[in-house]
Amino acid sequence: MPKHILYSIAVAMSISLVTLLFIQGVWVRNAFKLSEANFKSEVSEAANAFILQLEKNEISAQFKAQNRRVAILNMLDSLNHSIENLKIQNPDVRFEESVQGILSAINAETGLIIQQDTANAEHREEVTEASVPTSKAQEQSVRNIRRIYRQLSTERDNLLHKSRLVDELLQEVVGYQDTRPLVSRVNPYSIDSLLQKQLVRQNINTRCEWGIFSASQNRLIVQKTGRYREELLKSKFIYKLFPSDRDQNAHYLILYFPDFRQAIFSRVSALLVLSLILIASIVSVYAYALYKMFQNRKLSEIKTDFINNITHEIKTPISTIALVCEALEDSDVEKNEENLKRFTSLIKQENERLKTLSKHIIEISKLERGQLLMNKAPMHIHEAIETAIQNMDYQVKHNNGKIIKSLNATNDVINGDFVHTVNVFTNLIDNANKYSNTTPIIEISTKNTPKGIEIQFKDNGMGISKTHLKKIFETLYRIPTGNVHDVKGFGLGLSYAKQVITMHQGSIRVESQPKKGTIFTISY
């Protein structure tokens, strides 16, 4: 895929992802706003239900006072009727009321008592001396009548007093509610339980702080805990406690929720978690797709580079063999024993080169398919190292280099594949020999560890930068050298080495700095 098309697709995917994330963010924000609006609506419903309950309680008190008044008036009528009957039943006894006696009347229109008691108790009713009989029996009868009359009059006076008090209470409740102190209208200790009950009915279980604000005093006169004073005064949850009160004398219920944000978050937490999971999934899929796109492009470039390299490597031996064949067919070329040996040696050398190339191609196929087979058996690491040194001795000496051995491990036996292990060691020595700007010095050492054995390959080569250090074990990866191809290779050696070591339950790590050499450490 061309580079510009790949970048165009990446930009389009990025724009789509950003748009999708923006829409998701707007949706989550709207969900928070909706939850907040629902919370405020539920708080308003709870507060209104609380205020309505207070009004019902006050009206109930009014009804009770009115019923008490009616009962007193009925009792008063009954007493007046009894007094009148007493007068009728004793026509011979003349009753006189003092000028300062009890004057009572019932307003026919309103039913309210409008006269008050101003007389002394002993001068309410008197029987004149002229009307008193002379016999003792008659005197006793008069005394009894007088006693009954006075009892009825006393009861009437008491009822008139109670009636006056009830009238005053009704007049205060009905006509002047907003001038009374708050404590005379509602019990502050019952506010919290009643308010909490209404909040729970609306599924509001978070902490609630409340206060009562007096418009006439311009201050909070009652608080639940005494804390959050400033927050209460700034709160937007404000409700008129008694809606019928005049504004200048009104009291206001103010609510404040210390855990308001947490309450809103808890309502949308499940939705938010699902949204975050969705966003994470989308971002992960996008990142993975983008990574695979660039990885495939890079792999395509690496494979193309590999094919170009191997094509070049194949052409060289084929051309050499073709030239030898032409020389053998040329009649002008002398066919003596020396020339025949030289030609035969060239053909054999180039044939080995072709075999090595075919072997590398087969290794690539096996590595990609995971079909690299191991014939494991007890083997000696030191023997494998000696074999690898013998394989590379000529190439190292050709560069005037040397190999220094420090095989200090006392137990060098592992269960492994001897051939593949030798190939791994050979690749490491070959890399140390090829990637050296000076005379190569390769140090190979072994030592036993608590877990087994450790082998170290150290060189004085050109080193590897941190940028490429993490990628050197990738299949077909080669450190870029621009247009310079002075070092032959296919990017297979280290990838093959890592897989073989891993299949032996071992590990390989690398330490390197540019121009300071490289150290490969293998642990079994």
Side-chain angles (χ1 to χ4, degrees):
M1 182 182 295
K3 195 172 184 179
H4 68 279
I5 294 179
L6 184 64
Y7 281 113
S8 298
I9 293 175
V11 170
M13 289 176 63
S14 300
I15 293 174
S16 301
L17 177 65
V18 171
T19 303
L20 188 60
L21 292 178
F22 175 77
I23 294 173
Q24 192 72 13
V26 172
W27 181 67
V28 170
R29 186 187 64 179
N30 290 339
F32 269 100
K33 287 185 176 180
L34 180 62
S35 178
E36 185 174 340
N38 290 337
F39 183 86
K40 291 179 178 179
S41 175
E42 291 168 0
V43 170
S44 296
E45 290 182 12
N48 291 332
F50 166 75
I51 292 170
L52 180 62
Q53 186 62 46
L54 289 185
E55 290 184 317
K56 287 181 178 179
N57 292 343
E58 191 169 52
I59 292 172
S60 176
Q62 294 177 13
F63 277 119
K64 288 180 180 179
Q66 180 65 24
N67 292 336
R68 178 63 176 165
R69 175 181 178 274
V70 171
I72 291 174
L73 289 179
N74 290 335
M75 293 174 66
L76 188 60
D77 288 342
S78 177
L79 285 173
N80 285 332
H81 184 68
S82 297
I83 292 173
E84 290 300 324
N85 287 338
L86 185 63
K87 290 180 179 181
I88 292 171
Q89 291 172 3
N90 299 277
D92 297 334
V93 179
R94 189 176 65 179
F95 298 90
E96 290 185 359
E97 297 186 12
S98 64
V99 176
Q100 296 179 346
I102 299 174
L103 301 175
S104 62
I106 305 300
N107 187 300
E109 184 175 351
T110 63
L112 295 178
I113 297 175
I114 58 175
Q115 300 294 338
Q116 296 183 356
D117 179 12
T118 58
N120 294 325
E122 58 262 8
H123 296 109
R124 286 191 183 92
E125 309 289 345
E126 292 185 356
V127 181
T128 59
E129 293 295 332
S131 63
V132 177
T134 56
S135 67
K136 291 183 178 181
Q138 289 177 336
E139 287 180 0
Q140 185 63 35
S141 176
V142 169
R143 289 192 191 96
N144 291 336
I145 293 171
R146 180 184 299 172
R147 179 175 52 80
I148 294 172
Y149 189 82
R150 285 179 177 175
Q151 288 177 350
L152 292 174
S153 297
T154 300
E155 288 186 30
R156 183 183 63 181
D157 291 347
N158 291 335
L159 288 175
L160 285 171
H161 179 68
K162 291 181 180 179
S163 178
R164 185 179 71 251
L165 293 177
V166 172
D167 288 343
E168 291 176 356
L169 176 62
L170 280 174
Q171 189 176 17
E172 183 180 347
V173 170
V174 175
Y176 305 98
Q177 300 100 317
D178 56 357
T179 60
R180 291 187 297 150
L182 179 68
V183 293
S184 65
R185 305 180 67 181
V186 60
N187 183 1
Y189 296 102
S190 66
I191 292 178
D192 187 63
S193 59
L194 184 58
L195 179 60
Q196 192 63 35
K197 182 179 179 181
Q198 297 299 333
L199 290 173
V200 170
R201 284 184 178 178
Q202 297 297 328
N203 295 321
I204 300 174
N205 298 310
T206 186
R207 287 188 301 152
C208 177
E209 178 74 14
W210 57 266
I212 306 297
F213 182 84
S214 172
S216 60
Q217 300 180 43
N218 194 30
R219 66 182 182 88
L220 288 170
I221 57 175
V222 180
Q223 269 188 263
K224 178 181 178 180
T225 63
R227 297 181 294 174
Y228 307 108
R229 181 180 180 82
E230 295 297 327
E231 289 82 354
L232 279 170
L233 294 175
K234 295 177 182 178
S235 175
K236 296 181 180 179
F237 296 102
I238 304 174
Y239 309 93
K240 195 173 183 180
L241 203 55
F242 295 98
S244 60
D245 289 359
R246 291 173 291 183
D247 290 341
Q248 62 269 27
N249 295 321
H251 294 89
Y252 294 91
L253 173 68
I254 306 178
L255 305 179
Y256 171 69
F257 298 91
D259 303 323
F260 175 74
R261 289 298 172 191
Q262 292 87 328
I264 299 300
F265 180 81
S266 64
R267 292 184 171 210
V268 297
S269 57
L271 189 64
L272 184 61
V273 169
L274 291 176
S275 178
L276 291 176
I277 292 174
L278 178 61
I279 291 174
S281 301
I282 294 172
V283 172
S284 299
V285 171
Y286 165 79
Y288 180 76
L290 207 60
Y291 168 75
K292 294 303 285 186
M293 285 173 57
F294 282 97
Q295 186 187 47
N296 289 337
R297 183 180 182 278
K298 182 179 178 182
L299 185 60
S300 178
E301 291 177 350
I302 291 174
K303 286 185 176 181
T304 301
D305 190 32
F306 170 77
I307 292 171
N308 291 336
N309 288 338
I310 205 165
T311 301
H312 176 73
E313 291 295 325
I314 289 174
K315 282 182 178 179
T316 301
I318 290 175
S319 299
T320 302
I321 293 172
L323 286 173
V324 172
C325 290
E326 289 178 5
L328 291 173
E329 292 175 352
D330 191 350
S331 58
D332 295 334
V333 178
E334 187 177 353
K335 308 295 190 301
N336 55 37
E337 185 176 352
E338 183 181 350
N339 284 341
L340 289 175
K341 285 184 179 180
R342 185 164 58 87
F343 292 151
T344 304
S345 176
L346 282 172
I347 293 173
K348 185 176 181 180
Q349 182 180 343
E350 296 304 322
N351 184 58
E352 289 295 327
R353 192 172 177 182
L354 286 173
K355 285 174 64 178
T356 302
L357 290 173
S358 64
K359 181 181 178 182
H360 286 323
I361 294 171
I362 293 171
E363 285 177 352
I364 289 175
S365 177
K366 288 183 177 180
L367 283 172
E368 288 186 345
R369 296 179 184 179
Q371 295 178 349
L372 204 60
L373 300 178
M374 295 286 144
N375 296 316
K376 293 182 179 181
M379 57 162 285
H380 290 275
I381 289 293
H382 290 170
E383 184 181 349
I385 292 173
E386 293 290 352
T387 305
I389 291 174
Q390 290 177 8
N391 294 340
M392 292 301 302
D393 186 61
Y394 174 78
Q395 289 89 333
V396 173
K397 287 181 178 179
H398 182 73
N399 289 337
N400 298 319
K402 62 179 179 178
I403 299 175
I404 302 172
K405 298 182 295 182
S406 298
L407 308 180
N408 300 320
T410 56
N411 181 12
D412 66 331
V413 178
I414 67 166
N415 189 44
D417 187 296
F418 186 83
V419 175
H420 283 295
T421 302
V422 170
N423 289 341
V424 169
F425 296 163
T426 302
N427 284 335
L428 293 176
I429 296 172
D430 185 38
N431 286 342
N433 182 53
K434 288 190 298 184
Y435 296 98
S436 179
N437 294 328
T438 61
T439 301
I441 299 175
I442 305 169
E443 299 179 27
I444 304 174
S445 62
T446 64
K447 66 177 182 179
N448 287 116
T449 63
K451 294 183 178 180
I453 187 171
E454 184 176 277
I455 308 103
Q456 193 174 86
F457 293 81
K458 181 179 180 181
D459 63 59
N460 62 339
M462 62 182 67
I464 307 169
S465 66
K466 288 184 177 180
T467 306
H468 304 290
L469 207 57
K470 297 179 180 179
K471 301 179 181 180
I472 60 174
F473 293 109
E474 295 178 6
T475 305
L476 301 179
Y477 183 81
R478 295 188 70 200
I479 297 173
T481 56
N483 294 323
V484 180
H485 299 280
D486 53 345
V487 179
K488 295 180 181 180
F490 306 105
L492 293 173
L494 292 178
S495 174
Y496 166 79
K498 182 176 177 61
Q499 184 163 343
V500 169
I501 292 169
T502 301
M503 293 176 74
H504 283 79
Q505 287 77 46
S507 63
I508 182 171
R509 64 181 186 274
V510 59
E511 302 172 38
S512 184
Q513 290 184 12
K515 299 180 181 181
K516 292 186 178 181
T518 304
I519 301 174
F520 285 93
T521 303
I522 302 171
S523 300
Y524 289 109

